[in-house]
Amino acid sequence: MDVQIKKGDGNLHAFTVDLSGEEIRTRVRGKIQAVNPRLKVPGYRPGHVPESMVRRNRDLIRSIHQEVLDDLLDSAYSEILRKSSGTVVHLNPAPVSLETQSEESGLTIEGELEIFEVPADRSPFGTVLSPEEGISVAEEEIVAEIERLRVMMSNEFREDLSEEETIQLADFVRFRIHFVHPSTGEAFNSEQVSEVGGDGVPEAFTQALLGKKRGDRVQTTLPLNVPVSGKSGGTRVETHPAELEVLDIQRRIPLDTEELISRVFPKTGEDEPSKTEADLRSDVEKGLLGQKVLGVLRKKREELRREVLASWGIVTPEKRMAREYQRLSISSDADREEYRQIFLWQLVLDALAEREKIEPDWETVGQEYRGIMQSKGGTPSREVDREALSVAMQGARRIKLEEMMLRESQFGGHELFFDEGGYLDKVGMKKFGKKAASVGGNDHDHDHGTHDHGDHDHHDHSGEEGQA
């Protein structure tokens, strides 16, 4: 098998695979020998049917030739991947068939491929970004957050809301949602209950319902979980126009200070000292600082992506992108550009992670894996989904490399965030961007600064490492 790859324009390359007649003939005879024991031909014992007799069965020899061709194509593609200098993101062979004469004359497989590469002379570390100023938490922010927690952490609800009451933050709303998928015409209707402004609730949903009353109907555009067709199943998030009908509103009764402290700091033993309002304020201040730190990190991640894609001269694999747009039914120019940027960045991170031998944190792998399984809608199982685990490993590796790139970047105010005792240390994100131990080991240093409060997961507002 002789594989030749010739560079074309941009990411495009042409490939040629020449196969000798002898190689094809050897493989065909191997297949004939494999099926011979199963053949029933009058006058011959199983396994002793002459090759010439087998070849007279046109349907059988056609099937054998197809099997051999499939095997040869797999071998050719593997060799193309091995010889490619970068990541093969698109491979399109020309139609080819294997006939009896190919066993004498040989066969040539031709086609095009796209190879994605990052410049070998570019380091992922040391990217120059815009400066950042110091951040702080104001007294009024602490007071406002404590008042919010009084409501959010309460399990008691008012039962005397009048028909004229309008929806507020932290209200539980029962509603009916209706939308029609624009591509398939399929209608979706369901009745749901959600907490307005709660964790994981889209901001568009919150804004659509705030100020509305029972019986109101709201026309809005929302990110929705839409079933995915095909064997894989599951759902994916798509943004579509939808109608919400408000059916009922439930409102929490705020906690007093002592009740709030007991929820935020549940005792684990009789001898544990009681927490005070000062402890509550300190915890809230730390959480608010964490939110601001995460906000800066999100902005820095986006800036890092834009800077690398723009300054490194990354070439877009157009053929692969066209397939992605078609697969995901992305039609608008704005949506295509947004997806192109994200897809290119993932390719960059994957290539750099391989080059730099990046290992992800085990905790992040677990977080990614649980998210994938939840999106599939499957029930929890002790049996590991190896495909999902592989995707989780890839996602966690991207996260770790991106964190490392941020920690090793250059910008004014960098030391405020990343130096010892800086903002990341203060909010419990000490491992952010630090080289991870192999996931094969026990890298279980839990310093998320997260504690569980009774019926609520009240993170101390700083988020979780690797999830900024």
Side-chain angles (χ1 to χ4, degrees):
M1 180 180 294
D2 180 30
V3 177
Q4 299 292 327
I5 299 176
K6 183 178 180 181
K7 182 171 175 52
D9 295 333
N11 290 305
L12 273 178
H13 296 64
F15 71 84
T16 303
V17 181
D18 290 319
L19 300 157
S20 68
E22 180 181 359
E23 180 177 0
I24 296 172
R25 189 164 56 254
T26 298
R27 288 180 179 251
V28 171
R29 285 176 171 170
K31 294 287 186 182
I32 291 175
Q33 291 174 4
V35 301
N36 209 311
R38 303 196 300 272
L39 298 179
K40 295 181 180 180
V41 179
Y44 297 96
R45 289 180 296 154
H48 294 273
V49 180
E51 181 181 322
S52 58
M53 185 70 69
V54 176
R55 288 181 178 273
R56 290 177 190 172
N57 187 327
R58 292 184 178 181
D59 289 339
L60 178 58
I61 197 65
R62 188 181 298 115
S63 173
I64 288 174
H65 280 155
Q66 186 60 52
E67 286 186 31
V68 169
L69 179 59
D70 290 342
D71 291 345
L72 288 170
L73 286 172
D74 286 343
S75 299
Y77 298 157
S78 296
E79 186 65 13
I80 289 170
L81 294 177
R82 190 187 67 82
K83 293 189 68 172
S84 299
S85 57
T87 303
V88 176
V89 295
H90 168 77
L91 196 155
N92 183 32
V96 63
S97 61
L98 192 153
E99 308 291 344
T100 299
Q101 58 265 31
S102 303
E103 297 183 47
E104 298 297 330
S105 61
L107 185 69
T108 297
I109 303 171
E110 298 176 316
E112 65 177 10
L113 69 156
E114 282 183 312
I115 300 176
F116 181 84
E117 298 180 84
V118 295
D121 60 344
R122 292 282 191 153
S123 170
F125 309 117
T127 303
V128 179
L129 305 175
S130 61
E132 292 293 334
E133 297 181 354
I135 54 181
S136 61
V137 178
E139 171 66 20
E140 52 267 28
E141 293 178 291
I142 298 174
V143 172
E145 178 64 7
I146 289 176
E147 291 305 310
R148 188 185 75 87
L149 292 175
R150 291 183 194 276
V151 175
M152 298 294 289
M153 301 192 74
S154 171
N155 288 331
E156 299 294 328
F157 292 86
R158 288 181 56 185
E159 298 180 356
D160 59 347
L161 288 181
S162 71
E163 294 295 326
E164 298 304 313
E165 287 284 356
T166 59
I167 296 171
Q168 301 176 7
L169 283 174
D171 284 349
F172 275 82
V173 177
R174 184 166 61 88
F175 61 92
R176 184 176 291 112
I177 185 169
H178 169 78
F179 79 97
V180 177
H181 196 285
S183 299
T184 65
E186 185 176 2
F188 295 87
N189 294 279
S190 66
E191 188 173 307
Q192 302 176 24
V193 176
S194 187
E195 180 184 18
V196 178
D199 291 340
V201 176
E203 179 64 20
F205 172 86
T206 297
Q207 294 303 319
L209 289 182
L210 284 176
K212 302 303 186 293
K213 298 183 296 185
R214 288 188 186 91
D216 283 353
R217 294 175 180 267
V218 185
Q219 303 293 330
T220 186
T221 300
L222 298 171
L224 303 168
N225 287 318
V226 177
V228 176
S229 60
K231 293 192 297 182
S232 61
T235 61
R236 70 164 175 257
V237 177
E238 296 181 4
T239 301
H240 295 296
E243 180 184 80
L244 302 176
E245 179 186 359
V246 180
L247 303 177
D248 193 21
I249 305 170
Q250 286 190 321
R251 180 161 303 154
R252 288 187 172 106
I253 301 173
L255 299 171
D256 61 30
T257 301
E258 289 187 4
E259 290 175 322
L260 178 59
I261 292 173
S262 68
R263 291 289 179 89
V264 174
F265 304 108
K267 286 189 176 183
T268 57
E270 292 295 331
D271 297 332
E272 183 179 349
S274 298
K275 297 292 185 178
T276 66
E277 187 172 354
D279 295 317
L280 175 64
R281 291 174 57 81
S282 177
D283 185 73
V284 167
E285 182 177 10
K286 177 184 175 183
L288 291 173
L289 180 64
Q291 290 179 3
K292 294 186 178 186
V293 169
L294 289 176
V296 172
L297 293 177
R298 289 190 194 97
K299 184 176 70 172
K300 284 300 176 197
R301 277 186 157 113
E302 294 173 359
E303 185 182 353
L304 178 69
R305 181 182 73 188
R306 291 194 302 269
E307 179 62 26
V308 169
L309 293 181
S311 64
W312 285 24
I314 302 297
V315 181
T316 301
E318 299 294 349
K319 299 280 187 178
R320 175 59 185 270
M321 291 311 306
R323 282 174 49 200
E324 289 292 311
Y325 299 148
Q326 183 178 25
R327 180 178 69 87
L328 298 174
S329 301
I330 301 175
S331 57
S332 76
D333 291 342
D335 289 345
R336 287 190 173 197
E337 176 58 22
E338 180 181 4
Y339 183 77
R340 185 186 73 85
Q341 292 279 331
I342 294 172
F343 190 79
L344 279 183
W345 186 233
Q346 290 178 341
L347 290 177
V348 169
L349 291 176
D350 289 342
L352 291 175
E354 182 70 22
R355 192 177 84 186
E356 301 293 328
K357 308 301 181 187
I358 301 299
E359 291 284 355
D361 285 317
W362 182 251
E363 289 88 349
T364 309
V365 174
Q367 292 165 9
E368 292 288 293
Y369 180 79
R370 288 189 293 274
I372 292 169
M373 297 307 292
Q374 288 172 2
S375 69
K376 286 186 173 183
T379 57
S381 172
R382 291 185 178 182
E383 185 175 342
V384 175
D385 184 323
R386 296 192 177 277
E387 181 180 354
L389 180 59
S390 176
V391 175
M393 288 280 291
Q394 183 183 44
R397 190 174 287 111
R398 290 170 181 165
I399 289 171
K400 176 53 65 177
L401 175 58
E402 200 175 42
E403 289 179 0
M404 293 173 67
M405 292 174 73
L406 281 181
R407 184 174 278 275
E408 299 300 324
S409 65
Q410 300 178 32
F411 61 87
H414 181 280
E415 70 285 352
L416 296 174
F417 291 84
F418 295 103
D419 279 7
E420 185 175 353
Y423 295 135
L424 269 71
D425 283 359
K426 289 179 180 179
V427 300
M429 299 176 65
K430 294 178 181 294
K431 292 196 309 182
F432 185 97
K434 293 183 179 178
K435 193 169 185 178
S438 172
V439 296
N442 291 317
D443 182 28
H444 290 265
D445 177 16
H446 299 282
D447 67 356
H448 293 289
T450 303
H451 41 271
D452 177 67
H453 294 288
D455 297 330
H456 301 268
D457 286 330
H458 166 55
H459 302 273
D460 72 343
H461 318 287
S462 59
E464 295 188 341
E465 289 182 11
Q467 299 299 306

